[in-house]
Amino acid sequence: MATTERTTAEQQYEDQLRGASDGAGISAYVLHRAKPHLPPWLCAGGIGLAGLLGSTQWEGSAAAGVGLTLASVALTGVTWWAGKSTGPQRRLHSAITVAAGSAWLTGACLAGPATGPLPDLYLMGGPALALSWNIRMVLRRNVDGTTVGGADKGLLEKVGLARAQIGATSVEPNRVTAKMALEAGEQTNDDVAKVLPRIASALDLPKSAVRYLPDADSARRGELVIVPEDMLTQVVEWEGPSNLGGSIAEPLVIGRYDDGSPLLLWLPGDPEIKRNSTHVLIAGGTGSGKGETALNLMLEILSRRDVLLWVSDPKMFQDFRPLLPGMDWAAEGGPDTEVMVEAIKAVMPARTRWLGAHGYRQWIPQAAEQQTSREHTCRPDGQACGCAGMPFLVTWMEEAANTLRLMGDDAFTGIAQEARSAGVALIVSLQRPSYDQMSTSTRASLPSVIALGCDPRDEGFSLPEAVIDAGAHPGAWGNRRPGYCYVVSPGIPEDRYPSPARTFAVPHTAVPTMEALAGWAQANGAGADPVTGGAARAVAGQNYTGRTAADPAPALRPVDDEEHAAAEAESFGGFTDPEDAGIDPEADLPDGEVGDDTPLWESPGHKPSPEEARELFAAALDDFEAAGQMVVGPRDFLDWCDRHHLSRPWVSARLKDAALDGRLEPTSVTGRWRIVPNLKIA
């Protein structure tokens, strides 16, 4: 900072010099440039004057000679002792200067400054010593970013790194980066990571302001990064999408780092620069700003022209409701989310097959355009197929802990392991990605993470150990600094991983802009390609409507209060209806009135024959599918059984038969079945 101020002052004097019409500007400029170099010359002149005055008092005095000699030795010793906290060169230079000056002063006071060689020694030695300090001052200016004499050894000594060497140092606005070399055979990079809090304490900075980035090719070299001012305390509001109409392959801007640089994130890979496609974990405790962070990322996704967005949110889209028109598929949790997960599993091989047939080893922006290349096997005659392009697909699981409780801790494992090659990105958002909620295989397949404030004990669930060792500590924030985060993802330089960032604040006044963005996505965003849409409908049936650029945006199916209560009960209770509490799913349905032992199928009235009953059951499955209910079980047939005089065990048997016939598939919950869409119904 001092260097910056000095440079500014020098520029002012240079401006004055250029604008001056007389010698006043030149004199002021010369004086300004000379002032930093005057102290050594003033000291030399002062010693000469002191020798002249001392000779009038002590010339020829033996007692004065003893006193002046002892004072000279003592002053030299004190200089050597006081210089132990500085570099060895500065310490030696200071001691020699004091010893030479005090020796000449002693001789001048006792014999007179003009006696013998004393005047020659003064005229030669004084300017030489003064010039040596001037040269040292000039060399201290770090013009090329390298340190000549060493760093603040006192600071390193305080933290136990006295023998570490500071090398090239670069100074940027609000960021200082210094290369460090530790003592060979005595210290390692782990030793620096352990003392980072002590360095922050010595500099009176927060722990997050000091980071250490070890060199991957050395166990004792790295870079010490210091950010003196926390720019994240200034809230920056979201001002709209960063690249409206751009490709999803271009960076998504969701905030800024503590030094003011933008916080970027990439989802698709880039084969030219060897960047992999990625999945993202958004993790943060209650009140850490996880919802607003998700909103930033979702807004950026919807602003791109070549992407589809599927979102599951058990919170009924409380935070994202203005964006619903721009989404290709929205599910409110429970059975709808289960159907979406199964659809994603079916979509991946279909997309992978299409990409391979058109010559793509991974999704790139050209895959979203109409295909005109002849270099693929889509058509055996070698002619350009003219197939519609395939947009990138983002599948978002909000409040994923709810879905994991419903479907099991490995519900996303297959998707996370296989989706990247299919041009599919999985985003999982939850508060605590611990191993009792999410399987280790799923967590290992989520290479990117946005780690917000959390409990200090949960840091290891979100961030890699190396990033924590480098100085990243989201546990220090808790829920006191919403939006503060660390981001680890392909495309971001590794030295940025331990750098804190903050996502944009999305104010309530931004709702009209969000709605306008959703409308733009509805009208101008990509529609589902035939491969993706066909595979999704083959699993979800009427639950997936999709959208095209010309079609109205999909809307959630309106539900009444009873359906909301049922959905919430299913989400949190594993499909257990409160009315079914304590009921054995394999037990017979109640028989008629109390005391009546006549079974339902022998009650008065028409009882369907076995063939008629099977036809009625098939029609019931068609009715459920037409209504958009794609997951069913025996309890869903209670009223149907009453109308047709059939028992619950009979329904259970028919469900199993339908599964053997391919009309149903089992879900992860016992007694629940997913309807395989009937193309005739669709």
Side-chain angles (χ1 to χ4, degrees):
M1 184 176 294
T3 303
T4 303
E5 294 174 354
R6 182 168 62 251
T7 303
T8 303
E10 292 173 357
Q11 184 64 41
Q12 292 175 351
Y13 275 99
E14 292 173 359
D15 294 341
Q16 293 177 5
L17 176 60
R18 287 192 296 267
S21 59
D22 52 23
I26 298 177
S27 301
Y29 174 75
V30 172
L31 179 62
H32 169 71
R33 298 304 298 266
K35 280 194 297 184
H37 303 283
L38 289 179
W41 295 93
L42 294 176
C43 288
I47 290 175
L49 181 61
L52 178 63
L53 296 176
S55 66
T56 62
Q57 180 71 22
W58 298 313
E59 184 173 358
S61 173
V66 174
L68 289 172
T69 301
L70 292 177
S72 176
V73 173
L75 186 60
T76 303
V78 168
T79 302
W80 181 260
W81 172 82
K84 68 178 183 178
S85 62
T86 64
Q89 296 176 354
R90 188 181 186 89
R91 187 183 190 187
L92 182 62
H93 192 186
S94 300
I96 292 175
T97 301
V98 172
S102 59
W104 185 90
L105 179 62
T106 300
C109 290
L110 297 177
T115 303
L118 288 178
D120 296 328
L121 290 175
Y122 179 79
L123 293 175
M124 291 185 291
L129 287 175
L131 282 172
S132 70
W133 282 100
N134 290 160
I135 293 172
R136 187 181 186 89
M137 183 177 296
V138 170
L139 293 178
R140 283 180 60 190
R141 288 191 61 185
N142 193 1
V143 179
D144 57 357
T146 59
T147 300
V148 177
D152 186 353
K153 305 298 290 185
L155 172 62
L156 296 180
E157 184 178 5
K158 288 179 181 179
V159 299
L161 300 175
R163 298 184 180 181
Q165 299 295 322
I166 299 294
T169 303
S170 63
V171 180
E172 308 170 35
N174 199 39
R175 183 182 177 97
V176 179
T177 304
K179 293 186 179 297
M180 288 189 66
L182 306 176
E183 185 181 10
E186 296 292 334
Q187 298 170 324
T188 67
N189 291 327
D190 292 338
D191 296 323
V192 183
K194 294 176 182 177
V195 300
L196 288 179
R198 295 168 60 187
I199 296 177
S201 174
L203 298 174
D204 194 20
L205 294 172
K207 289 193 299 182
S208 61
V210 181
R211 280 95 70 176
Y212 182 70
L213 310 174
D215 188 340
D217 299 326
S218 174
R220 68 179 189 94
R221 297 182 185 274
E223 292 183 344
L224 183 66
V225 179
I226 300 173
V227 180
E229 180 184 358
D230 184 7
M231 298 181 66
L232 302 182
T233 57
Q234 304 173 4
V235 178
V236 178
E237 293 186 349
W238 178 74
E239 297 180 350
S242 64
N243 188 8
L244 183 64
S247 172
I248 189 63
E250 298 171 5
L252 310 175
V253 184
I254 60 175
R256 65 172 184 165
Y257 286 102
D258 56 352
D259 61 359
S261 57
L263 174 59
L264 308 179
L265 185 69
W266 288 263
L267 293 180
D270 188 339
E272 293 186 0
I273 62 174
K274 307 300 181 184
R275 186 187 71 239
N276 291 326
S277 179
T278 190
H279 304 310
V280 182
L281 170 66
I282 304 176
T286 302
S288 64
K290 182 165 57 66
E292 195 160 73
T293 298
L295 192 57
N296 271 276
L297 183 54
M298 197 175 294
L299 287 166
E300 283 290 279
I301 293 172
L302 287 177
S303 69
R304 305 306 167 93
R305 67 177 186 274
D306 50 5
V307 61
L308 302 173
L309 180 60
W310 294 358
V311 182
S312 164
D313 185 5
K315 292 171 58 177
M316 311 303 175
F317 293 86
Q318 180 180 7
D319 295 330
F320 313 127
R321 188 157 293 276
L323 303 179
L324 281 175
M327 299 177 188
D328 187 62
W329 189 359
E332 289 187 345
D336 290 342
T337 295
E338 190 170 11
V339 172
M340 178 180 285
V341 171
E342 295 299 325
I344 297 170
K345 294 177 181 178
V347 159
M348 291 188 303
R351 289 174 61 91
T352 304
R353 187 182 305 110
W354 186 93
L355 289 170
H358 290 80
Y360 300 109
R361 298 184 61 185
Q362 66 181 76
W363 189 92
I364 57 177
Q366 289 76 9
E369 302 172 359
Q370 185 172 359
Q371 303 303 296
T372 58
S373 174
R374 301 173 184 268
E375 298 178 1
H376 54 69
T377 59
C378 181
R379 286 184 54 173
D381 58 4
Q383 298 298 315
C385 64
C387 294
M390 176 178 287
F392 193 77
L393 175 60
V394 176
T395 57
W396 190 303
M397 299 295 160
E398 184 68 15
E399 295 296 340
N402 202 312
T403 302
L404 291 169
R405 286 195 300 269
L406 175 68
M407 302 183 62
D409 62 354
D410 61 348
F412 308 133
T413 301
I415 298 173
Q417 292 176 345
E418 302 171 10
R420 288 192 298 166
S421 61
V424 179
L426 173 66
I427 299 178
V428 178
S429 175
L430 74 170
Q431 293 184 10
R432 189 173 184 267
S434 58
Y435 302 119
D436 60 342
Q437 295 196 63
M438 178 187 296
S439 72
T440 55
S441 297
T442 301
R443 180 62 188 88
S445 300
L446 299 174
S448 298
V449 61
I450 302 176
L452 294 105
C454 63
D455 188 291
R457 295 168 295 182
D458 294 341
E459 291 181 345
F461 294 137
S462 301
L463 290 173
E465 183 178 354
V467 178
I468 296 176
D469 292 341
H473 295 291
W477 301 326
N479 60 1
R480 297 180 299 277
R481 297 187 179 182
Y484 278 58
C485 61
Y486 296 99
V487 181
V488 176
S489 184
I492 299 177
E494 292 187 8
D495 61 354
R496 282 290 187 186
Y497 289 173
S499 299
R502 188 175 188 178
T503 56
F504 297 127
V506 183
H508 294 292
T509 55
V511 170
T513 305
M514 295 164 59
E515 292 175 341
L517 176 60
W520 179 91
Q522 179 182 4
N524 302 284
D529 59 282
V531 173
T532 303
R537 291 186 182 91
V539 172
Q542 301 299 314
N543 272 21
Y544 174 70
T545 58
R547 65 174 173 83
T548 63
D551 292 338
L556 293 180
R557 179 173 57 88
V559 293
D560 55 26
D561 293 340
E562 293 182 0
E563 288 177 320
H564 272 297
E568 183 176 359
E570 289 177 347
S571 298
F572 289 92
F575 297 102
T576 301
D577 193 316
E579 297 180 358
D580 288 347
I583 297 178
D584 182 0
E586 298 300 329
D588 290 346
L589 291 174
D591 298 335
E593 297 293 332
V594 177
D596 186 0
D597 296 332
T598 304
L600 286 174
W601 57 86
E602 295 182 5
S603 299
H606 175 70
K607 178 180 179 299
S609 66
E611 186 62 30
E612 291 175 337
R614 287 181 173 82
E615 292 179 359
L616 288 172
F617 181 80
L621 293 179
D622 292 342
D623 292 340
F624 281 122
E625 180 181 352
Q629 183 174 346
M630 302 299 291
V631 177
V632 296
R635 70 179 182 83
D636 297 303
F637 288 84
L638 289 176
D639 294 338
W640 185 85
C641 289
D642 289 339
R643 291 196 304 272
H644 299 290
H645 311 292
L646 296 169
S647 66
R648 186 166 179 168
W650 185 90
V651 171
S652 297
R654 299 291 76 74
L655 290 171
K656 295 177 181 178
D657 290 342
L660 294 176
D661 294 337
R663 187 70 171 97
L664 299 176
E665 286 189 0
T667 67
S668 58
V669 179
T670 303
R672 303 292 290 176
W673 305 84
R674 179 177 61 82
I675 298 176
V676 176
N678 186 344
L679 297 181
K680 294 180 180 179
I681 300 299

